[in-house]
Amino acid sequence: MTSRPPLAISQRQPQRTLSASGLSQRPAPQRTLSQQLPQSPIRRSDGFGGEQGGDGGDGAQTRYATLPRRVGSKLKLELANDGIDHAGFVESPQNPDILSANKVFTPSRVMSMTDAPDLSGMSPQTSAGQSVDGDSLPMPMPPRRARFSVPAKNVQSAPTSAPAKKDLRSKPFTLETPPDAPRYSRTGKQEPCGRPRKNNGGPQRDTNANSGHADFYAWRGGHPEDQWSDSIIRIGYFDKAPAQSAQESASAKATLFPALKHKNGLHTLSSIFTNILNQRRHIGQISSPSTFKPPPRVTLTDSKREAWVKELARPSVPLRKLSRTIPHGIRGRVLLDQCLNKNVPTDRAVWLAKCVGANEIRAFKRKGVNNTFVMGGEVKWIRDWTVCVEQFVETVIGAFADGDWKSKVTYAIRLATHLYAEHLLDRDHYMEWLISSLETSNEAKLPMWLLLVQIYWKDMLKIRRHGRRLVTTMLSHHCSIYESPDRDVLLPLSTKLGSFVETLLLASPHSFVHPTTWSRYRESLQATLSSSREASINAFNAIDMRIDSLTNSNVKTQPAVRSTLVALLDSMLRLPFKDDIPGQIHKATKNTSVLIRTTLEWCTSLYRFGATKIYVAAAILRSIPDMDTDLTGEILAFLDADALHESPRKQSVYHLVSELVRSGHFCVPQYIQWLIARGGLLDPSEAEPDGPCAMRLLVEMPACTFNNSMRSLRASLLRRVSFSVEDEANDIGTAIRCIKYALSVPIDLDDPMLQKPPMSVKKLTNKIGLSSRSLKFEVCYWLANDFLDSVVQRFHSEKSHLDLAARYLDIVHKLLIAAQDFSMLETTLGYMTHSSNIETMSYCVNTLSLYLPEFVALGSAKQLFYAFYNRLRAISAQQGIVARPLLAALANLAPRLPGLETIASQLRNELLLADRSNPVDASSPLSDSMTTQLQDDETLLSEQIEKLSTYTSADKPTMERFFHTLVSKLVGCWTKGDERQRPFSILLSRLRVFDTQYFDSLMKDWVRHIRKLTKRAPIAQMYPLLVSSGCLSLTTLLATALRNQHQGTQSQPAPVGTSSTYMQEILQMLVKPLEPDRILTPDDCYRFQIIQKQARLEYAKEVMLLVRGSLAEWAASRNQQPPRGPLDDEKFKNQLFELLRDLILMDPQAASQTLSLKSPDAKLASLIETLTTRLLVPHSGGGQKSFEQVLELANEFTLPFCQVKLSLNLTIHDPSTPEGAERLQAQFEQLSTAMDNAIEANNVMWTGMLSYLSSDITSHLKNRAEARFLDLFPSLRSLPFDESRSKSDIHMAENLLTVVDSVLRGASMHKHCAFSSAMADKLNDLWEVLGSTSEDNSTLRKAVLTHWLPLLLAYLSLQASQSSAMVDSSKLPAGDTRARVLVILAGIILELDKYPMWNLSPRVFDIALILADNLSEEARLQCVRAVKDHTADPRLRYLFSFAPDPAENFMLAHREKPPTGLHERRMMAMNLGMGMPPEKLTPFAFRRWEILNEPTPNIGDNDTSLSLTLFDARKM
């Protein structure tokens, strides 16, 4: 046993020796970390023992001083050192190599162990800095490593100064300390007084017994244990004197040895040692309370504060010293800036932030207020501190101009990251700031924010509200760069951003589950995904399927698929036109049989009109990629199943099959074989025009496309029913000769047709229109190929440009339109693209614009546009002039084609410049003298037009005077029927160029004035020329037609005279075909026809309002004189019927509102009733239809017309009167009854029109259907479960869900539907069923998993998709029921994990994700409190956006003191089943701001930031 000497004993300072360790000391600036820090007092010297000082001869060497010299003769020592001459040893330590201190210690510099000499006199602990090489190299480079299996002798060159003196002194012996010897700890103990620090080779004196290694002291004669005395000899040496007064006088062997030899001796000995250890632990236990206090802050001057911060930046200054004087005034943003400017190490900057924060937070607690205020103040301070950090980082990032910007940004990001990692920031606020900054970042700063966000996105992706927002922001930037015109410049950024998005796609696919976001950015993301990365493609497809399950209709029956297909097909007839028609359709279904059958039914429906549907259907059928699909067989099966009695439907089939035969997609041999297998044609009536469609098709198909065998077989089959193929051929030849004669194409001289004048074009078109499809096909083929080809060949032979006379082109155009053969019209326009005549090409472009839907369906609209556009550029380049007619036609066409917005804008600007052909700029080019001249004589009109064209601008007063002068002249021409109104219209169009906006306002005021006139010329004589020439726009005409918006509902003074029929005349002008006369040229009529068709396609709602006003006007003017108006004309009524038919297909909702007039006029009500009934049932005589009849007539094609009829029946009564309200309620009940009967009859096709009815009706029907739907769900309270009854209930629930689906997906439900408590109750019932473990409920549980839960999830997905589409969360209803639904869904997710085979858990989770978005913060916190104590499922943490704080649930265990008696301890163990006493848990407040490594300058037993009593710490 040993003891330490008292601290007052001093030790001598070490002296520098001539040893190698003493001479190889590095200079101060190059000290290593171990040399800079105070050396341990227990480390042994690394050098050889040097000569002793003046007192060295006494032999009293200390424990760590230089070892005593080794005894022996010089000869013996020299012999012992002989052979030590390799690279690991220097013989003369007085003169080491000058580079030896800087050489790295490597394994190659270690001497071979086989040749190692006896170095017992050397210290075993040689530092790396002391290893030297024997080679004396002149250059400061390390020598090449010697490969020595046998060490080579080191040959040293003699020094130039003085010869090395050989050290002949004997080397001291060193006793090595065993490595397992325990060592005394110096924790909390100061350096003993009088004891020098360890120095290499210096003398040391150890007078402290309790230092160094315990129980191992080499004899040196200076240790207290080595001092012999009488008492030490008798009783031994003690570290501490024994407590008893009397010393031991005898040995204890006699007493202890028998006890140890006993069989229980070992147990007794272990008990003794255990008690000793327990007693030691009890005595050394730290029980004093914590004395920790944050380092105080003091007030310092600015200079001292600056010096303090500089010391903080120096790592050599200990923090314990700095903690004494933390200056006031360094807080918040100032603290961060000071750390940045002084380059304070990050760990020391965090230490300072903790010190300041701990004092700030404790300041709130010293105010003596309630805990709520304290917590609120602390939260507010942390929030403000987080804002300071955010501003600090943002400012440093934005300072791009600074020279050391990179180092500052690196420091700021590193400091902020350390603060974030130690939870010293408000993490939610910090992440929201990061994402907001990324959202608003421009492309220049985007890489920096991406780098910053990438540090934290693992934490962001663990929380739904941050993860989804991050993904949305990344996708938004990715899409904007993808669609940017500078995409090639931003390619590196786009590539990097795409890589980040792919990483997010794989790391957090849940964050992409948001229908609105996915639909917006899906295409751009799919276009940039790498096809080689299979994992990314699979993740994309998986998310796509998850979104589809949320957004697609939940009714997957065949009628629902058919309704979707019909809706897509109808959209092809409306603007904006789709480029990829087949691609849009094929997304709806993968069942080609359903697709073909639905397309054929849509094409042949009586409720779809025009030739566009033929070419849309043909394009879809041609694009079916499945090679195993028998298209011809599907068409023949359709003809066999549907008789097609109506003539329009038959003509549609003939036309469609002819187009498919033309392209080779209809197999004629297969059709003839099918026809022969059915017996062929047996009756002559089968070949007649009104014969069966499947039989008559043989006559209508174009025989010119057959081969010889098929023609012969066709002739044989037709000959059996007395149909002459020769007569058919003669008719075709006669038709072609008549057309040749009309086109002035030479025919045979002996042809009797030459004896008669040529047949008029009108008569020709009528005959062509009534002919068979076979004749139309061959005539159109001859026109578009033979005739035009001969013209082209003739002009090619003459080496001139193609120039077809306008009259011939007009004839060809009219004949092709009469035959409805737009394929051949496309070929004709293709030939005309080589023409050199500007007027001809302008005519072709106008034709393309007039029949744009058909050419879009053919897929040639853009090709033809670009062809004529290139011709315009070529003519402008060759001739140096602007082809204004062609330019105007292209400028009108370009905006209607998708994807040509840039070209359309360019063409409009070029047209404006062309109209201002002279670039002269004058402030007022139109003088009063010009106006006076126009009033004097009209002979100068042409001269004034040319003079006007030379100016480019006009001031408003002059322009107004000139406008009124022109329109007054124009009104005079209308009164007289003068032809000179054309020049005035042209002059007005020239005037419009100078200021379009002001001119339109003048024109609008003037048209309103014309509308009020009681006597005026007919509208058909006034406006067509102005509209055709561009003076009167369609927008202005429709905007001024109505007197006010509520024409039909407000009482107004009845108009008189011609003003009483103004709207009817405007409507008649828009639907009546114009004929050329002495005022309107054919070109004017053609352009006006384009505007008429454009009004139906692009201004459907405005035209609907015009129809509404016209009907109300007709009803109001019936009692006036003259009684007859345009609507009294039956021809105009038929035209109005066709207009309504088209408008209903364009916008059924607007049509329903238009025709829902509450007028007491019986004749008006009868007219509307007749029109709507005729629209619904074309061949009926009209009359009222009940609700049940309307629902029975509903199918995919009649749905828009049923909607109009149903809306009309529900709005004929005024709800403002008591009687009207009562009747309306009665009608609601009738409709509900009809709806229930239709559902019982499994008729749910009518549900598609519910969404377009009024909000009151849809809300009533939805609530009724929802109530019945929820009442059908089973629960544990409805036991026993009837499985047979459940099947009918499931079928009824599916039909009711179809009703709810149709209403909720409709456009009229603008208000979000709140979650009902009944729905939450049913969801809770299903949760209880899934959670039940009873075997009696197994049948019910299986039914719930199979049917009932998917049905309720389908209903919830409707709510979820509607919630996802609402961006403004303030419009969402209160979140109490919503939060309850989310908690129930969370429980169902956990329960469904028990049933993995049903695969319902992912769908429930996706629905919960959408419902959790935009949830209010209060409701979210309620959900968190409900689930966080019951489960640690990461899905629920992500769903409710809460991350567990590691220090949040810390608890203190207070253990009761165990009883002292053995019997009591045994009783407690028996009662508790364990030997440990019970514990009491209390919450522990973990103060992160007070976790300081150097808290205060005062050292105490328990001064740490975490009290040592928490760890049962003991003093050593």
Side-chain angles (χ1 to χ4, degrees), residues 708-737:
N708 293 330
S709 60
M710 288 297 103
R711 287 183 186 178
S712 175
L713 189 56
R714 173 180 180 268
S716 299
L717 291 174
L718 292 177
R719 200 175 294 113
R720 294 176 58 188
V721 292
S722 302
F723 184 88
S724 176
V725 180
E726 291 77 10
D727 293 343
E728 180 187 34
N730 291 333
D731 292 341
I732 295 174
T734 302
I736 293 177
R737 290 200 312 276

Side-chain angles (χ1 to χ4, degrees), residues 509 572 1100 1265 1275 1462:
M572 305 301 171
S1275 66
L1462 179 61

Side-chain angles (χ1 to χ4, degrees), residues 430-723:
Y430 191 72
M431 286 191 283
E432 287 178 1
W433 167 74
L434 286 173
I435 299 174
S436 299
S437 301
L438 184 65
E439 284 178 343
T440 58
S441 174
N442 55 20
E443 295 168 352
K445 297 182 179 180
L446 185 59
M448 193 68 233
W449 288 110
L450 287 175
L451 177 64
L452 195 59
V453 167
Q454 195 176 4
I455 300 174
Y456 307 96
W457 70 13
K458 285 187 178 180
D459 289 339
M460 294 179 182
L461 296 177
K462 294 178 182 178
I463 297 177
R464 171 68 179 176
R465 55 177 177 166
H466 295 324
R468 185 183 68 83
R469 190 177 171 192
L470 172 64
V471 167
T472 303
T473 304
M474 299 286 279
L475 289 175
S476 175
H477 283 296
H478 180 265
C479 182
S480 63
I481 294 176
Y482 175 76
E483 297 175 352
S484 173
D486 300 329
R487 182 183 175 186
D488 54 342
V489 180
L490 301 172
L491 184 60
L493 179 59
S494 176
T495 304
K496 192 67 176 176
L497 198 56
S499 176
F500 285 164
V501 172
E502 286 194 37
T503 304
L504 292 175
L505 195 68
L506 298 173
S508 180
H510 300 321
S511 300
F512 288 82
V513 180
H514 191 262
T516 304
T517 303
W518 187 255
S519 62
R520 186 181 306 165
Y521 305 116
R522 179 186 180 277
E523 300 299 330
S524 61
L525 177 59
Q526 186 180 22
T528 55
L529 279 180
S530 175
S531 58
S532 60
R533 298 191 61 180
E534 185 177 356
S536 300
I537 299 297
N538 294 337
F540 179 88
N541 294 332
I543 295 173
D544 212 15
M545 292 176 61
R546 294 169 69 176
I547 297 296
D548 286 342
S549 67
L550 292 172
T551 56
N552 287 348
S553 177
N554 297 280
V555 185
K556 300 299 182 183
T557 58
Q558 184 169 326
V561 174
R562 285 167 53 87
S563 299
T564 304
L565 286 174
V566 171
L568 287 173
L569 289 167
D570 287 340
S571 68
M572 305 301 171
L573 307 178
R574 297 191 290 265
L575 287 176
F577 298 118
K578 310 295 188 302
D579 283 336
D580 184 18
I581 293 177
Q584 299 287 333
I585 297 297
H586 289 308
K587 290 181 180 179
T589 180
K590 303 298 182 183
N591 191 335
T592 54
S593 298
V594 174
L595 175 60
I596 294 172
R597 183 62 181 265
T598 306
T599 304
L600 291 173
E601 291 181 2
W602 176 80
C603 178
T604 59
S605 172
L606 292 174
Y607 300 95
R608 304 297 183 272
F609 318 98
T612 308
K613 64 177 183 178
I614 305 296
Y615 293 97
V616 170
I620 293 171
L621 295 179
R622 288 168 181 159
S623 66
I624 294 177
D626 192 356
M627 301 302 296
D628 298 330
T629 301
D630 185 8
L631 178 59
T632 305
E634 295 287 348
I635 295 175
L636 296 177
F638 168 74
L639 295 177
D640 192 23
D642 196 337
L644 300 175
H645 299 291
E646 299 85 356
S647 178
R649 301 186 68 191
K650 294 180 181 179
Q651 295 300 324
S652 298
V653 171
Y654 303 152
H655 195 172
L656 176 62
V657 172
S658 297
E659 291 296 329
L660 294 177
V661 169
R662 190 200 303 270
S663 60
H665 290 83
F666 186 86
C667 183
V668 176
Q670 183 179 349
Y671 165 67
I672 295 180
Q673 182 182 2
W674 176 82
L675 201 60
I676 294 174
R678 295 169 58 88
L681 278 70
L682 303 176
D683 192 280
S685 62
E686 294 178 346
E688 296 296 329
D690 57 348
C693 181
M695 307 300 176
R696 174 67 184 180
L697 180 60
L698 186 62
V699 179
E700 299 285 344
M701 285 189 349
C704 62
T705 60
F706 296 3
N707 56 29
N708 293 330
S709 60
M710 288 297 103
R711 287 183 186 178
S712 175
L713 189 56
R714 173 180 180 268
S716 299
L717 291 174
L718 292 177
R719 200 175 294 113
R720 294 176 58 188
V721 292
S722 302
F723 184 88

Side-chain angles (χ1 to χ4, degrees), residues 9 54 606 799 826 890 963 997 1119 1364 1420 1437:
I9 298 176
L606 292 174
K799 296 183 179 180
E826 174 194 356
L890 289 172
F963 174 82
Q997 186 175 1
N1119 297 325
S1364 171
R1420 186 187 67 83
R1437 290 179 177 175

